[in-house]
Amino acid sequence: MIIGIDLGTTNSLAAYYTEEGPKIIPNRLGNRLTPSVVSMDENEQIYVGDSAVERNLLYPGSTVSVFKRDMGSQKKFNLLHKSFTAEELSSFVLRALKEDAEHYLGEEVTEAVISVPAYFNDARRRATKRAGELAGLKVERIISEPTAAAVAVGIYQQKERSRFLVFDLGGGTFDVSILDHFDTILEVRAVAGDNFLGGEDFTAVLENMFYDKFTQFDRLSLDSKTIRHIHKQAEQCKIGFSDNHTSVMECKIGEELFSMEVRLSEYENACEELLERIRKPVKRSLSDAHIRLSDIDRVVMVGGATKSPVIRRFAAKLFRMLPDTSVNPDEIVALGAAVQGAMKERTESIKEVILTDVCPFTLGTEVVREWEHGRFENGVFCPIIDRNTVIPTSRTERLYTIRDNQTKISVNVLQGESRFAENNLSLGELLIDVPAGKAGQEAVDVTYTYDINSILEVEVAVVSTGKKVKQVFRDRDLDMSEEEIQERLETLSYLKIHPRDREENKYLLLRGERIYEESVGEKRIYVEAALHEYEKALNTYDNAIIEDAKAEFKKFLEDFS
């Protein structure tokens, strides 16, 4: 039996496929949602879901939540005297869902299709797969959350050809996917997102407003139980906006009751920075799909955080249309995962459905690039599979030796969007021997093959001898947290080449770097060439040359934007 699981930051749930369509599986308490919370008592008894939530209010030191954001990292979460990784904690949640499903269905559940945020990288997807295996589940298929939602919507509301955007804001992550739907074909055109933006951040805004109002409270001096109480009341206050234009946050601290009334407009203003972060992935997805906002026929709201009137009003303004809120945002992903499970089992009623997905990150390697005869630039990123390429896919790039009598070629497998190799994430390295000869005489064909299960195969073949080396990247642990990865990607990469003293030069270079990262294919080549010319001018230290180059580069950026 294959079930579909939505492993969420705030809540998780499971579904199975029937002749009438997918159905949600209630948990042992009869609830459709299981909080993604884990607790442990002194006897090392593990509690998951609602019981863990209750224990959290009483014993916050023995309870953890919001660990999904750290999937794929080595960050440790403490439960009393023991520590666990995010994937181990997730395995407890998945095991509880598996046991509840077996009890409800009256049969053994052996396999699951698990959803993940579209913007999860390979390390995070592999960690999710391992979590399922730790829970006793076979996990051969990982599906992106917006894609899962689109599967469910597309299957049961088949109409004429349409293009829709899935806006998925959950408890801890934000994803946007653009899909084309026609008959029984669902084609993912582009995905983008933010792994550190979700409903929890909108709750934190109200917490900050409370601390700003009652300045006598310092988070560092409050005990964990009181902090959890304030967080819970902030969550309740946020929910209160669903029915009213004002909401009240009341916290009992000690023997005193502290009350704060918040207007919806006031809350919206306080959320402005978070709302702005939503715009960027939306803009990037439209750019990567090569479409305009007016080309979107329908916007589907997914994820519990989209129930907030702040989010719905913002989405209506952003997309210039009323978003579709007819589906249950908490359940649609699990239903889609169950449909995907049925596709995998080739269930008769939906076996003809064709689903395509895309690669969420650019995959490439490190090269030395010759800009002018005899002048080389080291550490350049060479994209092989651009982000938002339909998968499964296989692409080949031919690379040449750069030195006379060179006998080895190293292929550094990279994932990321920066044009400099050191700012991207290294997944591993392949080394192959080549015959000695003149520079450029020997070459290797580097082939990247990426499938729907986020498994990357890299093959390096020497053109002259046919010798090959191959490696599959699927089980490598990532010893770096997502925060560290993002910090590397956001480093001002131009400073690594040469310091720039003037602020305008820094700004233009950063803007060029951003446009490069947001582009794919030929556009990247144009931006890269323009950046190189501007950097070459800056290296002359000649103000006249720099001013001319600056005017030209500025015009290029304006015309390109």
Side-chain angles (χ1 to χ4, degrees):
M1 177 76 182
I2 300 180
I3 61 173
I5 294 178
D6 176 7
L7 182 62
T9 304
T10 307
N11 293 294
S12 298
L13 63 161
Y16 71 114
Y17 195 80
T18 72
E19 292 182 358
E20 292 79 32
K23 305 288 185 184
I24 297 297
I25 299 172
N27 63 20
R28 62 200 67 185
L29 299 177
N31 299 325
R32 297 164 77 87
L33 302 180
T34 297
S36 301
V37 183
V38 178
S39 185
M40 186 175 75
D41 65 20
E42 296 291 344
N43 298 318
E44 299 189 359
Q45 171 70 46
I46 295 293
Y47 300 81
V48 174
D50 295 284
S51 58
V53 172
E54 293 301 323
R55 279 187 56 81
N56 188 30
L57 299 175
L58 300 171
Y59 314 105
S62 66
T63 307
V64 292
S65 60
V66 198
F67 41 81
K68 178 180 174 179
R69 284 179 166 179
D70 294 288
M71 287 290 279
S73 75
Q74 295 303 307
K75 180 179 177 179
K76 298 288 186 178
F77 295 82
N78 294 321
L79 288 177
L80 297 179
H81 55 280
K82 287 186 174 290
S83 61
F84 301 90
T85 62
E87 73 181 60
E88 290 170 333
L89 294 169
S90 296
S91 75
F92 295 143
V93 177
L94 291 171
R95 183 175 293 276
L97 294 173
K98 176 181 184 291
E99 292 172 353
D100 289 343
E102 290 175 335
H103 176 75
Y104 180 78
L105 298 172
E107 61 179 287
E108 184 183 9
V109 173
T110 57
E111 189 173 345
V113 173
I114 303 177
S115 67
V116 295
Y119 223 51
F120 257 24
N121 63 17
D122 290 340
R124 289 166 168 263
R125 290 169 185 252
R126 287 194 297 271
T128 303
K129 183 176 184 292
R130 287 195 298 269
E133 291 166 350
L134 287 172
L137 290 164
K138 181 180 178 183
V139 184
E140 290 187 343
R141 186 64 52 83
I142 295 290
I143 185 171
S144 297
E145 289 169 4
T147 305
V151 167
V153 172
I155 294 299
Y156 302 107
Q157 299 184 25
Q158 293 184 10
K159 297 178 181 178
E160 297 179 355
R161 182 188 296 272
S162 64
R163 177 171 292 155
F164 56 101
L165 182 147
V166 179
F167 182 103
D168 184 0
L169 185 66
T173 58
F174 172 60
D175 287 314
V176 55
S177 290
I178 296 173
L179 301 97
D180 282 341
H181 168 228
F182 177 68
D183 196 15
T184 57
I185 299 175
L186 279 168
E187 178 184 357
V188 180
R189 294 286 302 275
V191 298
D194 188 330
N195 287 331
F196 293 90
L197 176 63
E200 290 290 332
D201 299 289
F202 287 86
T203 301
V205 169
L206 287 167
E207 288 183 87
N208 292 333
M209 292 173 70
F210 180 84
Y211 286 116
D212 289 342
K213 180 177 177 65
F214 301 104
T215 55
Q216 64 268 42
F217 298 122
D218 180 8
R219 296 184 205 222
L220 298 178
S221 62
L222 292 174
D223 61 82
S224 55
K225 189 173 180 179
T226 301
I227 291 174
R228 287 301 307 164
H229 172 67
I230 293 173
H231 177 81
K232 182 181 179 182
Q233 296 310 111
E235 182 70 27
Q236 291 299 316
C237 181
K238 183 178 72 174
I239 295 172
F241 287 118
S242 299
D243 302 315
N244 300 287
H245 282 77
T246 61
S247 188
V248 178
M249 179 175 170
E250 293 185 336
C251 298
K252 187 175 183 181
I253 302 176
E255 296 299 319
E256 194 171 352
L257 184 67
F258 296 88
S259 179
M260 177 181 74
E261 184 177 86
V262 185
R263 295 189 304 275
L264 180 59
S265 58
E266 182 184 4
Y267 178 48
E268 280 183 311
N269 290 335
C271 292
E272 188 174 340
E273 185 176 334
L274 295 177
L275 296 173
E276 188 59 35
R277 284 173 60 186
I278 289 176
R279 292 181 188 273
K280 293 179 181 178
V282 171
K283 184 178 179 181
R284 174 175 286 193
S285 65
L286 291 168
S287 174
D288 286 355
H290 306 293
I291 62 173
R292 296 166 298 180
L293 196 59
S294 58
D295 295 326
I296 300 295
D297 300 311
R298 178 180 173 197
V299 175
V300 180
M301 303 292 276
V302 175
T306 61
K307 291 184 285 188
S308 166
V310 170
I311 301 301
R312 292 188 175 184
R313 285 164 57 160
F314 174 77
K317 293 178 183 176
L318 178 63
F319 298 110
R320 300 169 199 155
M321 70 173 75
L322 287 176
D324 183 349
T325 58
S326 61
V327 299
N328 186 322
D330 290 316
E331 300 179 355
I332 192 68
V333 169
L335 295 174
V339 173
Q340 181 69 16
M343 289 183 194
K344 189 174 183 296
E345 286 186 313
R346 298 187 181 276
T347 300
E348 185 70 24
S349 61
I350 60 168
K351 67 180 181 180
E352 296 300 323
V353 173
I354 299 172
L355 171 67
T356 71
D357 211 332
V358 293
C359 179
F361 290 89
T362 298
L363 296 163
T365 189
E366 180 177 0
V367 297
V368 175
R369 181 156 292 170
E370 184 176 14
W371 289 104
E372 298 170 355
H373 183 68
R375 297 189 64 181
F376 298 91
E377 183 178 9
N378 295 316
V380 177
F381 180 51
C382 173
I384 295 178
I385 297 178
D386 278 320
R387 71 170 184 268
N388 286 321
T389 297
V390 175
I391 56 176
T393 187
S394 186
R395 301 285 173 87
T396 300
E397 188 79 18
R398 180 163 290 186
L399 306 177
Y400 296 86
T401 54
I402 60 167
R403 298 188 305 274
D404 291 339
N405 299 315
Q406 183 176 335
T407 59
K408 293 182 183 294
I409 287 181
S410 172
V411 175
N412 185 11
V413 182
L414 300 170
Q415 179 186 75
E417 308 302 331
S418 174
R419 69 189 183 103
F420 295 111
E422 65 179 324
N423 291 336
N424 293 320
L425 174 63
S426 177
L427 302 178
E429 189 175 22
L430 284 76
L431 193 66
I432 193 167
D433 295 325
V434 295
K438 291 184 178 180
Q441 179 177 309
E442 291 295 328
V444 293
D445 283 336
V446 180
T447 302
Y448 280 27
T449 304
Y450 192 76
D451 80 351
I452 58 175
N453 295 310
S454 302
I455 295 174
L456 172 66
E457 179 188 82
V458 178
E459 180 183 274
V460 183
V462 180
V463 175
S464 63
T465 67
K467 181 179 179 180
K468 297 179 180 180
V469 295
K470 184 186 297 185
Q471 185 172 343
V472 176
F473 296 87
R474 66 199 309 172
D475 293 320
R476 178 179 177 271
D477 289 325
L478 179 66
D479 58 2
M480 184 186 301
S481 70
E482 186 69 14
E483 292 92 337
E484 291 172 321
I485 295 169
Q486 291 300 319
E487 192 172 59
R488 288 181 62 190
L489 292 176
E490 292 169 3
T491 300
L492 305 185
S493 52
Y494 64 89
L495 292 175
K496 296 180 178 63
I497 297 176
H498 199 283
R500 270 62 164 173
D501 296 325
R502 296 187 61 180
E503 189 64 30
E504 189 175 9
N505 291 334
K506 293 181 182 180
Y507 166 75
L508 290 174
L509 284 167
L510 282 171
R511 187 176 171 193
E513 295 289 348
R514 174 182 60 78
I515 292 174
Y516 174 89
E517 293 188 9
E518 290 176 354
S519 303
V520 295
E522 290 186 359
K523 287 185 177 180
R524 272 190 164 171
I525 297 173
Y526 298 144
V527 177
E528 186 176 26
L531 276 164
H532 177 74
E533 288 300 314
Y534 188 42
E535 287 171 332
K536 189 168 69 173
L538 292 174
N539 285 331
T540 65
Y541 293 98
D542 187 317
N543 286 332
I545 294 176
I546 290 173
E547 288 303 312
D548 289 343
K550 182 193 297 180
E552 186 174 344
F553 187 56
K554 189 184 294 186
K555 185 178 186 306
F556 171 82
L557 294 178
E558 290 172 354
D559 293 342
F560 202 91
S561 299

